[in-house]
Amino acid sequence: MARRRAAAWAALGPLLWGCALALQGGMLYPRESPSRERKSLDGLWSFRADFSDTRRRGFEEQWYRRPLRESGPTLDMPVPSSFNDISQDWRLRHFVGWVWYEREVTLPERWTQDLRTRVVLRIGSAHSYAIVWVNGVNTLEHEGGYLPFEVDISSLVQVGPLSSHLRVTIAINNTLTPSTLPPGTIRYMTDASRYPKGYFVQNTDFDFFNYAGLQRSVLLYTTPTTYIDDITVTTGVQQDSVRLTAQTSVGPVSDFYTLPVGIRTVAVTESQFLINGKPFYFHGVNKHEDSDIRGKGFDWPLLVKDFNLLLWLGANAFRTSHYPYAEEVLQMCDRYGIVVIDECPAVGLVLPQHFSNTSMNHHMRVMEELVRRDKNHPAVVMWSVANEPASSLESAGYYFKMVITHTKALDPSRPVTFVTNSNYAADKGAPYVDVICVNSYYSWYHDYGHLELIQLQLGTQFENWYKTYHKPIIQSEYGAETIVGFHQDPPLMFSEEYQKALLEQYHLGLDEKRGKYVVGELIWNFADFMTNQTPQRVLGNKKGIFTRQRQPKAAAFLLRERYWKIANETRYPHSAAKSQCLENSPFT
Ligand code: BDP
């Protein structure tokens, strides 16, 4: 692994996207180096949900001022994990409001005594609004559940000889409002004959469980006081030679930061998606960060298992439906050469108020945070700014024009899309996307059981979109609910045979247009996942080709055969990001 001093290349010029980025500072993934140390705060935290009627007792009694155990009983809560499925208390599973986390930690003396050391507290994500106190001092607030945030706490820990003890308190609120991403509404039930006083429910318009808490790692890390704040790498390939430009936002410094870098370019024509100048076909999956017990909590064994399954399947891509995944997931994609459509948490934008100026400003801010975090991952080949918004609403046209233009300004090197289920003739946002990503559920949500209609309806869908926009198309979702172990022949809905038969019909329709202008197919879904309870869902969404425990249904074998066939035809199954990947290249 080559290393160079930052000063040697910090002089390359101003930060490329600096003028476009409204956000101050970078969000480099914390890595150990000769000049940086890290200390994980993962493990058991003290935890309490504020069950008071107003949910504000914690603030009224200032729970952050003293150790949490002194203001009442606490639970042991593992971090990272969602808090919902950990305890046997059903009230916690459905809890809406403020929960409190606390962790005490002892710092090494050199962190607190050496004033040339900068100490940073970094939270991988907190769903969805977070307030952070260090030793009782309010240090930071952050809105948005799926992206990291951090604060320099040097001045709080470098205060005297006995300053090595640290108490971190984080209050997190999982309430979703019309202007959060994803949006939601709190509905007060006022019929006193049916509901107790003050009764409320959280309504959402998305199909996954609103898991919450500290779902990714929390850590402390150090840098020198003059440090590399951000790096932006742009790459290019020309006649088999590689061009690589790196730009930093500070310098010269003696800080060491090692950034694995892959080389690839992305371009879109009228009918093709080009990676390194070659036509690329997405044969992959949609995922969720979901597992039993941990909810959306980050978990290495689960991640490695999922990648082994992706490789087994011959998948070359996935979409981070419907929110940004943990940074470690993208690092794995870089390592394995799995291409990513990186989606922001704009899912369930179905009401006119979801397209307000407040929502738009927050949406742009989230895109800034997402691009800032993920811009250097070679695996990321496209940004998705939303999933299935009500894009036929008049206000959606202006909204998506603004959000997409903003994202392109943040990152001119990647195409931008959103995933639609609107009618091609009514969609007001489609004019602004680079690739048409369309979801459809023929013979599932329409014409139940009529598999014989799929090819005709799919063909019409593709032709309509293509003749209107002349842009490449990805079938970004299709699938069927399937209860593992249900068998029925001839196939009936919910059986493994029906899922297989539905996929086969879709594949015939896809093969008609593959090589013309259809540039990808992503099955819904990689694995079964938890949703809200409704009469339509049997312990969650069962459209996975794997169960929630990651065991294959019959359709997984069908898809495996298809993906490897396509991979062999296109020659490089897992190579798009990796083919010219210079892992651990000299970024120090
Ligand atoms: C699509 C949504 C996805 C759902 C899926 C389904 O994008 O989040 O889970 O439908 O109904 O419309 O299974």
Side-chain angles (χ1 to χ4, degrees):
M1 182 189 310
R3 289 209 168 116
R4 275 190 289 157
R5 264 178 199 283
W9 54 278
L12 284 171
L15 182 65
L16 185 65
W17 301 333
C19 41
L21 275 176
L23 284 175
Q24 293 298 309
M27 191 54 66
L28 293 176
Y29 185 76
R31 295 178 187 282
E32 285 183 324
S33 80
S35 58
R36 292 174 173 235
E37 290 177 82
R38 16 180 303 173
K39 188 176 178 59
S40 168
L41 300 192
D42 291 352
L44 284 189
W45 287 54
S46 296
F47 174 91
R48 184 185 307 138
D50 185 345
F51 285 108
S52 65
D53 286 349
T54 60
R55 305 288 200 249
R56 297 203 54 84
R57 180 171 296 151
F59 294 97
E60 286 152 15
E61 296 180 356
Q62 303 186 330
W63 288 352
Y64 49 86
R65 297 284 295 260
R66 293 173 296 146
L68 202 56
R69 61 182 174 276
E70 293 181 14
S71 53
T74 57
L75 297 178
D76 281 342
M77 187 56 70
V79 172
S81 83
S82 309
F83 62 73
N84 310 77
D85 285 343
I86 294 291
S87 89
Q88 292 307 99
D89 185 348
W90 64 269
R91 293 178 311 154
L92 196 53
R93 182 160 203 282
H94 304 294
F95 183 80
V96 179
W98 289 100
V99 297
W100 293 72
Y101 283 80
E102 182 200 78
R103 170 80 197 250
E104 292 173 282
V105 58
T106 305
L107 299 183
E109 206 172 73
R110 60 184 179 281
W111 289 28
T112 58
Q113 303 305 308
D114 182 353
L115 299 184
R116 290 164 308 172
T117 296
R118 181 175 156 265
V119 183
V120 182
L121 169 65
R122 188 185 204 264
I123 294 149
S125 76
H127 186 68
S128 152
Y129 192 91
I131 308 180
V132 182
W133 294 264
V134 172
N135 292 341
V137 178
N138 181 313
T139 56
L140 178 66
E141 299 195 14
H142 183 261
E143 180 178 358
Y146 299 98
L147 288 162
F149 51 100
E150 62 180 30
V151 58
D152 180 342
I153 58 166
S154 314
S155 62
L156 291 169
V157 299
Q158 294 168 347
V159 289
L162 293 173
S163 56
S164 58
H165 184 76
L166 201 68
R167 186 165 45 83
V168 178
T169 315
I170 307 180
I172 302 179
N173 195 328
N174 62 349
T175 308
L176 300 176
T177 73
S179 59
T180 55
L181 287 185
T185 331
I186 295 291
R187 187 152 159 241
Y188 282 91
M189 314 303 262
T190 50
D191 179 348
S193 68
R194 299 172 64 202
Y195 304 99
K197 193 166 175 284
Y199 197 85
F200 65 88
V201 289
Q202 167 86 77
N203 286 337
T204 55
D205 274 296
F206 52 83
D207 186 36
F208 55 90
F209 189 73
N210 191 34
Y211 281 116
L214 289 175
Q215 303 179 127
R216 296 182 188 155
S217 290
V218 180
L219 55 85
L220 294 161
Y221 71 92
T222 64
T223 71
T225 41
T226 307
Y227 60 97
I228 296 169
D229 176 52
D230 198 8
I231 299 172
T232 299
V233 178
T234 49
T235 59
V237 183
Q238 247 166 14
Q239 289 164 356
D240 293 333
S241 72
V242 163
R243 177 170 46 81
L244 186 144
T245 321
Q247 304 193 310
T248 56
S249 52
V250 290
V253 294
S254 54
D255 184 13
F256 295 79
Y257 188 85
T258 306
L259 180 72
V261 180
I263 311 297
R264 59 109 192 82
T265 62
V266 184
V268 172
T269 71
E270 231 182 54
S271 58
Q272 288 181 322
F273 194 96
L274 304 172
I275 297 185
N276 295 340
K278 299 187 187 119
F280 183 78
Y281 188 79
F282 296 77
H283 45 92
V285 304
N286 289 279
K287 286 186 94 264
H288 260 300
E289 285 187 319
D290 177 274
S291 71
D292 44 7
I293 304 175
R294 295 175 198 83
K296 288 196 188 309
F298 176 76
D299 181 48
W300 275 111
L302 181 77
L303 180 61
V304 174
K305 179 71 180 174
D306 280 3
F307 271 77
N308 286 333
L309 291 176
L310 288 170
L311 297 185
W312 176 87
L313 202 59
N316 68 355
F318 66 79
R319 171 166 69 118
T320 66
S321 44
H322 296 304
Y323 40 82
Y325 293 177
E327 290 153 288
E328 291 82 357
V329 179
L330 295 179
Q331 290 161 14
M332 286 286 278
C333 290
D334 293 342
R335 285 166 61 82
Y336 284 71
I338 301 276
V339 158
V340 175
I341 300 173
D342 203 354
E343 188 158 280
C344 91
V347 52
L349 278 63
V350 294
L351 302 172
Q353 64 258 43
H354 297 156
F355 300 98
S356 68
N357 279 344
T358 314
S359 295
M360 187 166 80
N361 288 336
H362 177 58
H363 200 149
M364 287 183 175
R365 166 93 189 186
V366 172
M367 288 313 301
E368 288 169 11
E369 288 187 24
L370 178 60
V371 172
R372 173 177 71 169
R373 191 194 73 162
D374 292 349
K375 62 189 173 185
N376 291 326
H377 285 286
V380 175
V381 296
M382 181 155 63
W383 306 108
S384 165
V385 300
N387 178 67
E388 295 190 352
S391 46
S392 56
L393 289 178
E394 209 51 55
S395 50
Y398 176 71
Y399 186 97
F400 281 108
K401 179 177 178 188
M402 297 303 286
V403 173
I404 290 173
T405 306
H406 188 61
T407 308
K408 281 173 174 285
L410 295 166
D411 178 8
S413 75
R414 290 177 178 92
V416 182
T417 190
F418 70 86
V419 170
T420 186
N421 65 344
S422 294
N423 177 277
Y424 75 99
D427 196 313
K428 302 280 188 303
Y432 309 107
V433 301
D434 295 307
V435 175
I436 303 284
C437 289
V438 56
N439 294 349
S440 57
Y441 285 90
Y442 302 124
S443 296
W444 189 260
Y445 289 125
H446 323 270
D447 302 302
Y448 322 129
H450 291 282
L451 297 166
E452 69 280 9
L453 297 177
I454 290 177
Q455 283 189 61
L456 172 68
Q457 295 185 357
L458 190 61
T460 308
Q461 167 199 280
F462 287 143
E463 287 298 312
N464 282 339
W465 279 104
Y466 192 68
K467 77 168 187 256
T468 311
Y469 286 108
H470 286 275
K471 293 177 183 178
I473 301 176
I474 294 176
Q475 181 69 39
S476 38
E477 285 182 30
Y478 69 104
E481 208 85 14
T482 307
I483 314 280
V484 70
F486 274 24
H487 292 289
Q488 198 70 40
D489 188 39
L492 295 184
M493 291 174 81
F494 294 100
S495 68
E496 296 203 30
E497 288 72 18
Y498 192 87
Q499 187 181 34
K500 262 182 78 178
L502 183 142
L503 263 54
E504 272 162 356
Q505 291 303 309
Y506 258 92
H507 296 161
L508 290 170
L510 285 159
D511 286 342
E512 267 292 298
K513 306 290 185 225
R514 190 153 66 90
K516 295 184 181 140
Y517 53 79
V518 170
V519 298
E521 55 189 88
L522 305 175
I523 186 78
W524 190 263
N525 188 287
F526 173 72
D528 295 345
F529 57 92
M530 190 45 72
T531 64
N532 268 343
Q533 300 182 70
T534 74
Q536 285 78 37
R537 295 284 179 259
V538 185
L539 290 180
N541 186 309
K542 294 282 191 283
K543 295 197 185 72
I545 54 162
F546 296 100
T547 64
R548 208 174 180 214
Q549 290 70 35
R550 278 32 185 194
Q551 296 306 322
K553 301 179 190 173
F557 296 94
L558 175 89
L559 212 59
R560 179 178 196 229
E561 207 178 305
R562 173 173 177 79
Y563 282 180
W564 276 108
K565 188 165 164 276
I566 297 177
N568 288 332
E569 277 167 29
T570 47
R571 252 189 84 220
Y572 300 111
H574 305 113
S575 62
K578 198 160 182 157
S579 56
Q580 303 191 51
C581 183
L582 306 183
E583 273 227 323
N584 302 323
S585 74
F587 283 86
T588 55

